[in-house]
Amino acid sequence: MNKSQIAEAYIHLGRLIQLIPEHILETAYVNNNWFTVSNIRKAAEGWAYALRPEAVEKWLGNYTFKSDDKIVGIIMAGNIPFVGLHDLLCGIASGHKVYVKLSSQDEVLMGHLIVLLKAELPYLNERLIVTEKLNGIDYLIATGSNNSARYFEYYFRNTPAIIRKNRTSIAVLNGLESDDELFGLADDIYTYFGLGCRNVTHLLLPKQIELKRLYEAYDKYIDIVNHHKYYNNYMYHKSILLMNLTKHYDNGFMLFQEKTDLHAPIATLNYHFYESKEDVLKYLAENNEQIQCVVSNEAYVSHAVPFGKA
């Protein structure tokens, strides 16, 4: 097996991922109601773009492929569709054997993709194994909550590992954003019901900002409240806020609270006001280990992601 064969298989997977049979999509939704058909298709479109020929060849061109008998274990997350695919592709391209523990939340889709990959690369039949227990591995890639990360760190303490913990994303606004940028911010907040680490859960706002413009931009997602699991979260957190007499804003499908907490539960969004760019930079530095993306058009925010692109 050589690098060109792997590249060809990945490119073909990029085409097949948009052609997943309807019964697989329906089964994935039954297994995990957060995985609506529209969200699965959106994730598939993203992967189809990532696995286009020029992107795959540029990516794999940076590495030397050498097959060996080392084993990399991968513990996958399942918060959004196909979230474990990147680790899987990296594991295969590394040349190691790959043992995968699928998330119960995404076993249908990822299980289907593994079947497709093995069909393209029969070489993987003995080298890509789905298992419940990662015994005898040489390396580990694991994604989970902060609590599960502590377990992974202890249990695999003698194994070289990449262990990912809870992360989320934030947006820094200056009040001069265009309507299109605010519509893009709505996508950053609500896509995949806000379950991804690249979803924005906290806003840093200048005191002079007109909040009404933000609420109006979010209206494009008003139908999200018709999803039963999202609605249950919305009503649960709304009840708590009302019972505790906690000040908040409610646009009918999202609850807004002024607080400095980085993470916000499903159907809620945190925000706080800043006085200067120094305030913003201090907040970013203090929370750096928990932040995945910073969405902003401010030049002083390094590595900022444009609105709508998180």
Side-chain angles (χ1 to χ4, degrees):
M1 179 59 57
N2 57 46
K3 188 164 29 179
S4 63
Q5 290 172 303
I6 291 176
E8 185 178 344
Y10 286 5
I11 291 166
H12 190 51
L13 181 68
R15 302 186 185 105
L16 294 178
I17 201 169
Q18 294 194 91
L19 303 173
I20 295 177
E22 197 68 28
H23 74 275
I24 297 291
L25 301 180
E26 293 171 357
T27 303
Y29 174 71
V30 170
N31 183 65
N32 180 355
N33 288 171
W34 292 114
F35 285 16
T36 62
V37 171
S38 61
N39 276 345
I40 296 173
R41 292 194 190 284
K42 183 173 183 65
E45 288 173 6
W47 272 108
Y49 181 79
L51 295 175
R52 65 198 191 282
E54 60 271 27
V56 171
E57 289 162 8
K58 181 179 179 181
W59 170 45
L60 292 180
N62 292 317
Y63 303 97
T64 300
F65 176 81
K66 184 179 179 181
S67 179
D68 62 31
D69 288 324
K70 296 287 188 180
I71 301 172
V72 56
I74 301 176
I75 300 175
M76 293 187 175
N79 49 318
I80 64 175
F82 311 117
V83 72
L85 181 54
H86 181 266
D87 287 343
L88 178 62
L89 298 182
C90 288
I92 294 170
S94 73
H96 304 313
K97 293 181 179 179
V98 180
Y99 286 9
V100 176
K101 186 179 189 311
L102 297 175
S103 166
S104 61
Q105 301 300 303
D106 194 16
E107 58 188 359
V108 176
L109 295 175
M110 287 306 305
H112 179 69
L113 293 188
I114 286 173
V115 170
L116 293 179
L117 277 169
K118 286 187 173 183
E120 287 295 307
L121 298 170
Y123 155 87
L124 294 176
N125 285 328
E126 303 299 324
R127 299 183 62 85
L128 173 54
I129 308 297
V130 176
T131 181
E132 280 298 310
K133 294 185 177 180
L134 297 179
N135 296 325
I137 63 173
D138 298 291
Y139 311 106
L140 173 73
I141 303 175
T143 307
S145 67
N146 290 347
N147 286 333
S148 60
R150 283 191 287 271
Y151 168 77
F152 298 150
E153 287 169 347
Y154 175 78
Y155 190 82
F156 296 101
R157 58 191 179 278
N158 297 319
T159 303
I162 297 171
I163 298 175
R164 303 190 192 94
K165 304 176 183 179
N166 284 347
R167 281 184 174 241
T168 190
S169 298
I170 70 173
V172 179
L173 283 70
N174 57 26
L176 302 176
E177 287 77 17
S178 68
D179 288 344
D180 285 343
E181 286 177 319
L182 294 183
F183 291 143
L185 176 59
D187 295 335
D188 296 329
I189 294 169
Y190 294 103
T191 301
Y192 306 122
F193 301 104
L195 290 167
C197 64
R198 301 179 70 92
N199 283 110
V200 169
T201 59
H202 190 101
L203 306 180
L204 273 70
L205 307 173
K207 288 195 171 181
Q208 73 276 13
I209 196 167
E210 185 182 355
L211 293 177
K212 182 180 178 183
R213 287 189 66 218
L214 294 180
Y215 299 152
E216 290 174 347
Y218 300 156
D219 280 349
K220 63 185 286 191
Y221 280 94
I222 192 169
D223 289 338
I224 199 172
V225 79
N226 294 326
H227 184 276
H228 66 285
K229 290 179 76 71
Y230 183 92
Y231 177 77
N232 289 342
N233 277 270
Y234 166 71
M235 291 303 298
Y236 171 76
H237 293 295
K238 180 175 181 175
S239 299
I240 291 176
L241 292 171
L242 291 173
M243 285 190 297
N244 292 333
L245 301 179
T246 303
K247 182 180 177 181
H248 66 282
Y249 296 97
D250 181 355
N251 69 355
F253 59 95
M254 174 71 93
L255 305 160
F256 305 85
Q257 266 190 285
E258 183 178 352
K259 56 192 304 188
T260 57
D261 292 6
L262 189 65
H263 296 269
I266 297 171
T268 71
L269 183 70
N270 296 336
Y271 68 91
H272 79 273
F273 297 101
Y274 64 87
E275 297 277 358
S276 64
K277 73 175 184 180
E278 287 73 24
D279 291 343
V280 173
L281 294 175
K282 180 182 178 183
Y283 185 85
L284 297 181
E286 290 174 345
N287 294 281
N288 180 60
E289 291 301 313
Q290 300 180 69
I291 295 174
Q292 186 73 13
C293 300
V294 181
V295 176
S296 183
N297 60 16
E298 288 285 11
Y300 68 83
V301 178
S302 60
H303 308 295
V305 178
F307 289 95
K309 301 300 182 181

